Amino acid sequence: MVERTLLKNMLKLLYSYPFRTITCAAVPWFTKIKSDKTIFSMIMKHLSKGFKNPHRTAWIPFVYPVEILYAMNLLPYMTEIYGNGFSRFPTFFKDAFERALHFGIPADACSFHHASVGIFTQGVMPKPRLVLGGTPTGCEDQYHTLRLLAKNFKTEFYSIDYPRNYEGEKEKLDYFKAELYGLIEFVEKETGFECDKESLKVINQRYRDIYTKYEKFMRLKAEIPTTLYESHFTAFTFTLAEFTGDLDKTERYIEEGMQDIEDHKITYENEKPLRLAWLGHPIIPLRKLQYYLAEKRAFIGYQEFMESCVPPVKTNSDPVEEIAEKYLSAYTNVPLGKRIEIIKKRLSEYKYDGIVYMTSWGCHQINSTAAYILEELKNDYPIVQIDSDCCNPKNVGEQQLKMRLQALIEMIEQ
Ligand code: SF4
């Protein structure tokens, strides 16, 4: 009996947050690529901070005005993204996707929601101080998922509404600005942390500088084929500044990333590499995709998802209005015609040989636009559409994905 209790206590210690902090610190040592090490150490450090300071944590959806939260010294966690990351370790987080169903996530919701609820209800993070919802990307499901998490953890919940189809209309900007001021008021009241406008201005300026550098990074990715590890593909999708709030390290990551691209460049003798654009959902499902493509002398030069966090940013004397404009201009909030314009502009910057459009199971927002976008591009590029699932590996047919990519390459070479 005594041994049993001892064993139980030992197991508890192993699963304790201090132990998880040590595990987080060790993760970056498993890679040799400098920029990958930085990505992992930034993410792990951000997680460890949350383990140690639950009173500063806020769970949020993707594409959220994090600048405001960082200015208030909070630690935001995008539940879908972290949920997706953790769900890649099924040994530790068993049955995450099935588990979400018991918490009320519908079976036909996209797997980002299954991942976030399935993982975050397993105590991966301590109880959050706040849960903040919203309708970024026009996704009502994100609001429901966050609300459900708040209810489950008996945590205060607040949500902001994003007007859609933004084309610079003043009413929409004023509406969203008021939503952001409402968010600030709520967080200040709940936590006692203040949102200082001067700090917010400094943060906005740092983010603007980071986007300028990030654009150069994106161009280098579009120019030079490499087989850099998946995290490099992932870093296409959002800047680490949004994800971790560590602005100094984000800048360092960009510099290291650019150097790594140069150092890992692939050269093909007497042959030109095939440059592909990846539209729709991000490249998550196919592990080691870059090696598979490299065998076919192809690489991904552009991933549309990166636009979600690199909208144009103008300066404004009211830093809250500036943030409102930035998030309304994200490609997921602008009208479809504008989104097509953004894609065409990107595709005109380099010569692209072919296009992949990925739809992800259960996502009505991005899947429903596929047909319109492909119709616009089909006369200029060989295209394949791939139906897959961003998070749940059970819905991903790796062979089928490879066959679709092979079909695209054959079309290009014809
Ligand atoms: S993938 Fe689609 S359904 Fe899922 S969270 Fe994103 S926008 Fe919502």
Side-chain angles (χ1 to χ4, degrees):
M1 192 66 189
V2 177
E3 283 95 7
R4 252 181 152 188
T5 317
L6 199 67
L7 185 69
K8 233 170 138 187
N9 285 340
M10 274 171 69
L11 286 174
K12 257 194 189 161
L13 178 72
L14 277 180
Y15 201 55
S16 65
Y17 289 113
F19 183 80
R20 285 189 220 182
T21 307
I22 298 169
T23 319
C24 285
V27 170
W29 297 105
F30 290 98
T31 171
K32 288 198 171 64
I33 295 167
K34 228 174 168 188
S35 53
D36 276 351
K37 251 191 216 299
T38 305
I39 290 190
F40 289 130
S41 77
M42 286 173 78
I43 293 174
M44 294 305 155
K45 195 168 159 206
H46 188 56
L47 277 172
S48 317
K49 278 189 191 165
F51 298 157
K52 285 189 248 160
N53 305 285
H55 65 288
R56 284 172 49 206
T57 57
W59 292 357
I60 57 165
F62 186 48
V63 196
Y64 204 78
V66 283
E67 294 86 339
I68 289 174
L69 306 178
Y70 287 126
M72 296 172 98
N73 206 18
L74 282 168
L75 296 164
Y77 295 90
M78 296 171 190
T79 55
E80 316 91 312
I81 307 294
Y82 277 101
N84 179 22
F86 282 118
S87 68
R88 315 262 137 188
F89 303 95
T91 324
F92 300 111
F93 304 103
K94 279 211 181 93
D95 306 328
F97 294 96
E98 291 73 12
R99 185 183 165 86
L101 303 178
H102 300 294
F103 281 85
I105 294 292
D108 63 352
C110 95
S111 52
F112 275 116
H113 303 286
H114 294 134
S116 48
V117 171
I119 294 289
F120 274 73
T121 52
Q122 293 192 42
V124 68
M125 298 291 293
K127 177 181 163 164
R129 176 74 176 263
L130 300 170
V131 178
L132 305 170
T135 53
T137 69
C139 177
E140 293 292 332
D141 291 353
Q142 286 187 325
Y143 165 79
H144 292 300
T145 297
L146 271 296
R147 200 173 59 131
L148 200 144
L149 283 170
K151 197 171 155 213
N152 185 65
F153 282 86
K154 298 189 176 48
T155 303
E156 287 303 323
F157 177 67
Y158 189 85
S159 179
I160 49 173
D161 181 34
Y162 292 55
R164 303 230 50 213
N165 294 332
Y166 179 66
E167 285 187 285
E169 299 94 327
K170 190 167 175 327
E171 320 79 72
K172 288 187 184 173
L173 184 61
D174 286 346
Y175 175 85
F176 194 49
K177 189 168 77 172
E179 288 289 288
L180 296 189
Y181 273 111
L183 171 73
I184 293 172
E185 200 185 315
F186 169 79
V187 178
E188 284 184 340
K189 197 167 134 247
E190 285 302 320
T191 62
F193 301 148
E194 225 182 292
C195 182
D196 170 47
K197 280 211 176 167
E198 288 314 307
S199 315
L200 203 49
K201 278 185 189 169
V202 174
I203 291 182
N204 281 354
Q205 181 55 49
R206 293 282 317 267
Y207 271 85
R208 265 195 305 277
D209 295 344
I210 284 172
Y211 290 134
T212 311
K213 291 186 179 155
Y214 216 69
E215 276 289 324
K216 284 191 198 148
F217 185 32
M218 295 304 162
R219 277 166 212 283
L220 211 59
K221 280 174 189 284
E223 240 167 70
I224 301 178
T226 70
T227 53
L228 286 170
Y229 184 62
E230 279 155 86
S231 56
H232 252 256
F233 285 105
T234 310
F236 258 96
T237 61
F238 38 77
T239 79
L240 290 162
E242 270 112 2
F243 206 43
T244 66
D246 192 333
L247 305 176
D248 293 334
K249 279 223 180 117
T250 301
E251 293 199 337
R252 191 174 107 190
Y253 163 73
I254 294 172
E255 273 156 32
E256 288 170 354
M258 294 207 280
Q259 188 55 51
D260 281 335
I261 291 175
E262 298 283 1
D263 294 346
H264 293 81
K265 151 164 48 177
I266 312 177
T267 38
Y268 297 94
E269 271 173 43
N270 308 324
E271 281 178 314
K272 268 182 61 193
L274 304 176
R275 183 179 288 113
L276 309 180
W278 192 284
L279 309 183
H281 279 277
I283 307 174
I284 307 169
L286 185 53
R287 286 191 63 78
K288 310 290 176 211
L289 169 85
Q290 67 276 31
Y291 295 109
Y292 177 73
L293 289 176
E295 276 170 30
K296 315 271 170 201
R297 145 181 99 75
F299 74 106
I300 311 284
Y302 169 61
Q303 187 184 181
E304 189 196 5
F305 212 73
M306 76 182 204
E307 307 286 357
S308 57
C309 283
V310 195
V313 189
K314 282 188 237 140
T315 38
N316 189 313
S317 56
D318 178 353
V320 178
E321 183 167 316
E322 184 176 322
I323 293 168
E325 176 147 41
K326 169 181 162 178
Y327 284 92
L328 286 188
S329 311
Y331 88 102
T332 44
N333 276 316
V334 297
L336 180 58
K338 176 84 187 153
R339 188 175 148 204
I340 293 171
E341 215 179 274
I342 296 172
I343 294 172
K344 283 187 172 171
K345 187 170 171 289
R346 290 281 185 188
L347 296 181
S348 70
E349 287 166 2
Y350 291 91
K351 186 191 168 306
Y352 282 89
D353 299 289
I355 292 177
V356 178
Y357 193 107
M358 197 182 103
T359 51
S360 185
W361 199 80
C363 175
H364 309 298
Q365 342 318 310
I366 295 186
N367 295 359
S368 59
T369 50
Y372 300 98
I373 293 178
L374 298 187
E375 185 62 32
E376 280 286 330
L377 301 172
K378 72 173 191 212
N379 293 332
D380 299 319
Y381 301 93
I383 297 179
V384 289
Q385 185 178 333
I386 294 184
D387 297 316
S388 189
D389 192 323
C390 279
C391 307
N392 192 346
K394 285 187 188 148
N395 296 334
V396 177
E398 200 162 313
Q399 269 320 315
Q400 190 218 352
L401 281 177
K402 285 184 177 170
M403 271 164 62
R404 301 293 291 144
L405 289 171
Q406 174 67 33
L408 176 66
I409 287 161
E410 281 167 15
M411 266 192 265
I412 297 170
E413 284 173 340
Q414 260 169 23

